[in-house]
Every structure is written in C-alpha cells, then in structure tokens.
Amino acid sequence: MKNLRFIVQPGGKLTGRIRVPGDKSISHRSIMLGSLAEGVTEVTGFLEGEDALATLKAFQAMGVEITGPTNGKVTIKGVGMKGLKQPVESLNMGNSGTSMRLLSGIVAGQEFSCTLTGDASLSKRPMKRVIDPLSLMGAKISSQDKGLPPLTIQGSSQLKAIDYTLPMASAQVKSCVLLAGLYAEGETRVVEPAPTRDHTERMLRGFGYQVESTKLDDLATEIRLSGGGKLTATHIDVPSDISSAAFFMVAASIAPGSDLVIEHVGINPTRTGIIDILKLMGADILLENEREVGGEPVADIHVRAAQLEGIVIPEHLVPLAIDEFPVLFVAASAAQGQTILTGAEELRVKESDRIQVMADALQAVGIDAQPTEDGMIVNGGSQLAQSAAIISHHDHRISMAMTVAGLRAVAPITIDDCANVNTSFPGFVKLAQSVGLMVAAEEA
Ligand code: S3P
C-alpha cells in the first residue's frame, strides 16, 4: 500500500468558520439501530469515513437494504429485531473498535454464527472485555490468543440477562452488553464506574425503547433495559463530531492571532471533557447558538488564541475526553509549565498505544514529554525545536494531532502513514488548509 505523507510547514493561524464531519459514535449507532428497527430510518449528517462505512457494509452483508451515503444522507430499510441474515463471508471491521465491540453484542443475539475481522491495529486490540460479559449471557465466542480478533461468535436465541459491572469505564463495552440485552430474557443491568458516552442509551430511547439510568454515586451509573422489545424507525440528524472539532479547538488555541468558529458540534455532556480541560488550561472557548438536534445537544464552538497554562488534569474528566488526548498532549506542549495526566491507562489500547506513540512523537520534535504507566508528564512552553519525521502507527488521531503541532514548530514536520485519517475525518487536509494550517499531503 502507498504511504500517504503529511508535510506540515511551521507557523500559521486559524480564522474563519468551518463544519467538521459527522459524529463517528452516533453514525455507527444509527446504522445498527436503524437496521434492527421496524420501518425506514433516514440519517442525515452521516460520517462518510471508513469506520462508519465498515458498520454500514456489515449490515448490508447481513441482508439489510441501505442506500447512501450521499452527501451524508443514508436510508435504512429496517428488518426488525429478528430479520438479520447470516453473512456469506466474515465481516471486516477495518480499523474500527466500535464496530467490532458493538456488533459483537448484536451478533450474540442472532441464530447464526459469524466471524469479525480487522486490520493490523484492530487485530491487536483487546476483545476479552466483550467476550467475558457475552459469554456470561450465553454466547459462544472464540478468539485468537489472549482474546484478540478475529472473533467467531456463535449467537444464541436464548441469551440470559446479566447484572454486569464494567471493569473499566468503556462506552463500547457498555453498549455491547446493552445491545445483547435487547435479545436477552429478563432485565440487563450494567454499572459503569464513571460516566462514558451515552449515545446508545439516548438513541435507543429515540427509537422508542425503554432504557432506565440511575446515578449510584458521584461517578457510577446503572443502566437497565429488558429484552424482547422492538425499535421503531426514526430520523437521525448526526451532529459534527466533537472529537474531530478537537483538533481545530487546540489548533486555534495555540496559534497566536487565531479566531475560529466550528459549527454544529455535538456537545453531549459525556463528550465535552476536551472543552473543560482546555478551559482549565486558560483557553478562550465560547459555546454559541446552543440548541438540541434529535436528542443530542449541539452548539457552535468559538475559539480564540490564548496563552495556555499547564495543569494537573482531573481524573474524572479522562473518560469524557478519552479520544482527545493525542491533541491535548500537543496543547500541553504549547502551554507554559507542566501538565500531568494520570488515570488514562485505556489510552494504551486505542488504535495505537497513544501514551507511548505521542511521547515518542513529541520528544522527536524536542518536547520534554515523559510517558508514565497511566498517563504523561509534559513540560511545555518552548517551541517545537526540531524538524522531525513521525509515524502514525495506524492511528488517525496521531496523524492529525501532529499536524496541529506544526503550528508551534520552527521547522517542518513530516508524518508518515496518514491514510488512516479517512477512518474518522475524510477531507481533513482540505479543511485544515482552508482555515490556515499549512499542511500538504503527498503519496510517498
Ligand atoms: C466509542 C467509545 C470510546 C472511544 C471510541 C468510540 C464509542 O471507546 O474511544 O473512539 O463509540 O462507544 P471506549 O468506550 O472503549 O473507551
């Protein structure tokens, strides 16, 4: 495969108004629930990135008629809870952990078996976290050594509800168990130890399914649903992805003279850790035109450049900003003083080991970034002093975070293996160029 290389020239500032692509988490779920619903679901603002398309193709392969995406519009002819068909071949989830983990929950409730595969990065990501609860519910799942993909799931029409406390704060595992719970006999209860994104719960309610959530204490929540119900087709308007907006929020914060508005961004409170953390660092961020779109809060995010300060990142914000740390480490590099992140060991099992890979990348450009077991210590403030060649390690967010780093560099940065940006952010380079980032892509 050809290497897509990003070349970032130092400096620049960001001005204007932009709209980033649709939310990845919501796009996945719209296909899944739309497929299982009765009736026709229309989705607008769908993310036309490879991850969400992997989910779309998987449901087509299970017999669901889905048209689009065309300009973000997708039409799904729901087949009902029991209408999926056994796919002829294994289902390839590409780079997408969300597809594999959420689909596992759905396939566990089918009367057929099927194999889920992934690319080199996904094939190294832990699936024991979904195999364990699904096995307790009665599914039979085989994996490679240590619970790695591919997974072969022998579904069952006799799943049993479970009472499950998540061993880690993971929306993917929570969603997997809840989706299997739709097919289980009895009431499935999931306790999350800290708040994680709640798009599954919200969208299930949007499709007319009863889901209860009860706060157990400051952090933990119990979510309950009973199996055997049905989903009713609806319209889903997908807001822009705050995780994609995050690159531009940090970029505009650290590039002097910037003044940028990012329009129509989803600001679900389980996703806004990036805003809270940047504000604690002294960022100038305003939410404008706040409104609700299809059960999800949305706003335009107005960011002006500000001198950031290093902070100790509060641990309760970690799951609420879990995908944003690659670019938050770049913010920490540009901040005066020390930033300390702890309680973020989950970063080691994302599309890459984001603690090690980002520490290596920042050190390569001359930043004092020390990886720790569950986080990082970054001594920021200086400019990125060295020209460097970075490798993304199959991770879209490393490619984009290091592009943003170029704004504070004194010499060009090249980033190899950037085709993965298409998994979550098609059109990134063009959009970044349009607001002032000096990045170019070439096939090397
Ligand atoms: C996601 C949940 C998060 C996040 C991922 C998308 C989801 O993973 O990192 O990009 O859509 O449920 P975990 O729940 O495993 O932390």
Side-chain angles (χ1 to χ4, degrees), residues 24-25 29 98 101 129 169-172 197 322-323 350:
K24 185 150 72 72
S25 296
R29 288 157 172 82
T98 310
R101 297 200 177 109
R129 53 182 64 195
S170 165
Q172 293 182 350
R197 64 192 69 193
I322 194 67
D323 291 336
K350 292 295 177 188

Side-chain angles (χ1 to χ4, degrees), residues 84-408:
L84 295 180
K85 299 207 171 67
Q86 179 165 28
V88 179
E89 292 173 353
S90 55
L91 301 175
N92 185 353
M93 310 283 91
N95 193 250
S96 175
T98 310
S99 306
M100 186 168 285
R101 297 200 177 109
L102 271 59
L103 254 170
S104 298
I106 292 173
V107 172
Q110 310 304 317
E111 287 179 38
F112 55 74
S113 74
C114 122
T115 299
L116 309 181
T117 65
D119 72 3
S121 152
L122 183 53
S123 299
K124 286 192 233 145
R125 297 183 64 190
M127 294 299 147
K128 189 171 174 318
R129 53 182 64 195
V130 293
I131 297 174
D132 287 348
L134 293 177
S135 304
L136 288 172
M137 296 175 90
K140 302 242 174 316
I141 305 180
S142 63
S143 66
Q144 307 311 297
D145 236 14
K146 299 192 188 120
L148 295 181
L151 300 182
T152 297
I153 303 178
Q154 175 62 59
S156 161
S157 56
Q158 291 171 344
L159 291 186
K160 293 262 176 294
I162 51 168
D163 238 321
Y164 196 68
T165 298
L166 303 175
M168 71 291 287
S170 165
Q172 293 182 350
V173 182
K174 169 178 70 175
S175 302
C176 167
V177 177
L178 291 175
L179 291 170
L182 298 175
Y183 289 93
E185 195 193 318
E187 188 181 59
T188 293
R189 296 193 197 96
V190 186
V191 174
E192 57 180 3
T196 69
R197 64 192 69 193
D198 64 355
H199 304 298
T200 302
E201 297 92 304
R202 281 179 191 247
M203 202 185 285
L204 279 169
R205 291 184 190 115
F207 276 85
Y209 211 96
Q210 203 178 339
V211 183
E212 315 296 343
S213 300
T214 312
K215 264 192 123 6
L216 300 181
D217 56 40
D218 267 3
L219 286 177
T221 299
E222 179 181 79
I223 304 105
R224 298 181 302 278
L225 59 76
S226 295
K230 66 167 192 166
L231 300 168
T232 306
T234 184
H235 174 83
I236 307 278
D237 187 358
V238 183
S240 292
D241 198 328
I242 191 167
S243 297
S244 297
F247 298 103
F248 291 98
M249 288 165 62
V250 171
S253 295
I254 67 171
S258 296
D259 187 339
L260 184 74
V261 177
I262 314 161
E263 294 174 343
H264 200 74
V265 182
I267 51 159
N268 179 314
T270 59
R271 298 285 297 281
T272 45
I274 171 79
I275 297 177
D276 298 335
I277 294 170
L278 284 175
K279 279 190 173 170
L280 287 173
M281 297 175 85
D284 179 353
I285 300 177
L286 280 178
L287 297 185
E288 296 171 349
N289 195 13
E290 286 188 50
R291 57 217 182 262
E292 190 160 314
V293 176
E296 292 278 351
V298 167
D300 300 334
I301 302 182
H302 192 164
V303 190
R304 294 185 191 88
Q307 177 55 59
L308 303 184
E309 309 286 337
I311 58 164
V312 176
I313 298 176
E315 283 198 7
H316 74 273
L317 292 177
V318 169
L320 310 181
I322 194 67
D323 291 336
E324 283 61 83
F325 285 100
V327 80
L328 276 170
F329 294 140
V330 173
S333 306
Q336 290 293 343
Q338 190 171 67
T339 294
I340 301 177
L341 172 68
T342 55
E345 58 279 352
E346 277 293 301
L347 293 183
R348 292 205 177 267
V349 291
K350 292 295 177 188
E351 286 83 327
S352 70
D353 174 348
R354 288 181 174 162
I355 292 176
Q356 194 61 49
V357 169
M358 278 307 295
D360 290 346
L362 291 174
Q363 284 168 13
V365 292
I367 293 292
D368 175 6
Q370 296 310 322
T372 62
E373 210 157 293
D374 65 344
M376 203 184 300
I377 301 170
V378 182
N379 289 304
S382 50
Q383 279 202 306
L384 313 190
Q386 281 153 236
S387 173
I390 309 293
I391 304 172
S392 79
H393 292 269
H394 305 294
D395 190 337
H396 52 137
R397 300 203 200 278
I398 305 295
S399 307
M400 292 185 275
M402 290 310 293
T403 301
V404 171
L407 289 162
R408 292 291 284 255

